[in-house]
């Protein structure tokens, strides 16, 4: 699980993305075709990612009517929704597009009809996609020591891939920017787990999956390939 061919340009995308809610237009045809190819690659292990153009997004999203729906078979770990969805976000960012994860910003009845949602399937989030009307800005994140108990220098002393993985995971987007993860790093692994107190649990596992994809892309940038294993509180990566 969580096997995915990572792309080198997702690394820069992680460092330059921020959510976009106002767009100057939908992606053009060539961009849609490329994203469609990626959606097929992301659709496995219980997840299907499908692109739509038309009604479905709430009015908080302006200037585009293109979105991706993450459909999950019931029982699929929610982390996988975050992992595959964020791959689409990073690829779109690398293509120069803006995106926004949406847990509430869509009309569920329209989406259910569009995807012909079956009884054994669920949709928790969609992702809007389009041409951003403003450049990305650096969003606020918790201090690195608060997130993982180590400074950047202490992480670097463990290894380059651990440092890259933790710094990248810290930047991951999350619902209401809650960043509901506890990261631990040692000489052989990086774990992304649920902290003791999570104020908003609804998307915590999906958020964790997004942070896991970031960590994997960070480690890949340092020349390592992540292998994830479930533990009691989340997932740990060896690379
Ligand atoms: C699972 C999830 C659900 C989200 N739902 C919404 C939403 O319904 N409406 C919205 O405007 N933003 C939504 N967001 C975007 C977050 O508010 C945003 O990612 C976070 O504030 C961090 O900012 P950044 O994405 O610019 O880095 C969601 C993000 C995630 C990961």
């Amino acid at each position: 699980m969580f096997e995915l061919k990572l792309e080198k340009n997702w690394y820069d995308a992680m460092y330059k993305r921020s959510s976009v809610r106002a767009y100057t237009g939908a992606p053009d045809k060539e961009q849609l075709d490329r994203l469609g190819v990626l959606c097929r690659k992301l659709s496995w292990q219980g997840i299907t990612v499908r692109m739509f153009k038309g009604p479905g997004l709430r009015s908080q999203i302006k200037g585009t009517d293109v979105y991706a729906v993450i459909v999950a078979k019931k029982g699929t770990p929610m982390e996988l929704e975050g992992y595959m969805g964020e791959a689409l976000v990073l690829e779109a960012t690398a293509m120069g597009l803006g995106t926004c994860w949406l847990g509430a910003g869509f009309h569920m009845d329209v989406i259910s009809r569009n995807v012909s949602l079956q009884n054994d399937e669920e949709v928790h989030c969609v992702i809007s996609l389009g041409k951003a009307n403003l450049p990305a800005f650096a969003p606020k994140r918790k201090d690195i020591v608060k997130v993982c108990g180590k400074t950047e220098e202490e992480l670097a002393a463990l290894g380059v891939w651990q440092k890259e993985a933790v710094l990248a995971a810290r930047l991951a987007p999350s619902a209401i920017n809650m960043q509901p993860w506890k990261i631990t790093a040692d000489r052989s692994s990086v774990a992304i787990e649920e902290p003791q107190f999570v104020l908003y649990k609804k998307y915590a596992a999906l958020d964790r999956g997004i942070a896991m994809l970031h960590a994997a892309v960070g480690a890949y940038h340092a020349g390592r390939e992540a292998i994830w294993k479930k533990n009691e509180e989340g997932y740990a990566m060896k690379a």
Side-chain angles (χ1 to χ4, degrees):
M1 205 170 271
F2 300 103
E3 287 112 35
L4 178 63
K5 189 184 169 306
L6 306 177
E7 299 296 338
K8 290 219 176 310
N9 58 1
W10 293 355
Y11 180 81
D12 286 342
M14 286 187 308
Y15 281 88
K16 71 171 190 228
R17 64 150 295 287
S18 56
S19 288
V20 175
R21 298 174 182 86
Y23 301 83
T24 56
D28 56 36
K29 168 137 187 359
E30 193 199 328
Q31 291 170 322
L32 287 175
D33 289 346
R34 269 179 69 184
L35 292 172
V37 171
L38 178 63
C39 285
R40 283 195 285 283
K41 288 191 193 154
L42 300 175
S43 296
W44 69 308
Q45 304 177 100
I47 302 290
T48 309
V49 185
R50 291 181 58 191
M51 302 274 301
F52 289 92
K53 180 162 170 43
L57 298 176
R58 286 192 184 276
S59 57
Q60 70 182 101
I61 299 297
K62 303 204 183 319
T64 189
D65 59 354
V66 168
Y67 56 91
V69 183
I70 322 275
V71 184
K73 280 252 181 272
K74 283 183 183 162
T76 306
M78 241 174 131
E79 283 88 348
L80 215 47
E81 296 176 46
Y83 206 83
M84 298 305 175
E86 185 67 2
L88 183 72
V89 163
L90 296 181
E91 179 63 20
T93 307
M95 287 165 57
L97 293 169
T99 63
C100 188
W101 276 95
L102 297 165
F106 62 93
H107 296 288
M108 191 59 189
D109 51 341
V110 180
I111 302 294
S112 300
R113 261 200 317 277
N114 282 353
V115 299
S116 306
L117 199 67
Q118 306 296 304
N119 286 337
D120 63 344
E121 293 175 332
E122 311 178 286
V123 170
H124 300 112
C125 277
V126 313
I127 297 166
S128 60
L129 294 139
K131 296 184 172 134
N133 77 339
L134 288 173
F137 58 92
K140 249 183 123 48
R141 294 293 189 264
K142 288 177 189 164
D143 187 79
I144 188 77
V145 176
K146 189 161 181 213
V147 167
C148 79
K150 288 187 168 53
T151 62
E152 213 173 307
E153 293 69 36
E154 286 167 335
L155 285 168
L158 294 175
V160 181
W161 75 262
Q162 288 92 330
K163 182 185 118 182
E164 291 288 354
V166 174
L167 292 182
R170 171 180 168 268
L171 280 186
S174 56
I176 355 181
N177 205 17
M178 293 294 286
Q179 307 159 66
W181 41 68
K182 182 183 79 185
I183 306 179
T184 45
D186 59 29
R187 291 212 165 273
S188 63
S189 70
V190 169
I192 303 187
E193 301 171 325
E194 194 147 316
Q196 209 174 355
F197 301 105
V198 181
L199 278 180
Y200 190 55
K201 272 205 176 264
K202 189 170 173 192
Y203 299 106
L206 198 153
D207 289 337
R208 184 158 53 245
I210 297 176
M212 287 166 62
L213 194 263
H214 275 222
V217 171
Y220 188 57
H221 182 74
R224 302 296 191 102
E225 290 206 21
I227 297 169
W228 292 98
K229 273 224 166 104
K230 176 105 191 70
N231 66 19
E232 261 176 43
E233 314 285 340
Y235 285 84
M237 166 175 93
K238 303 249 183 223

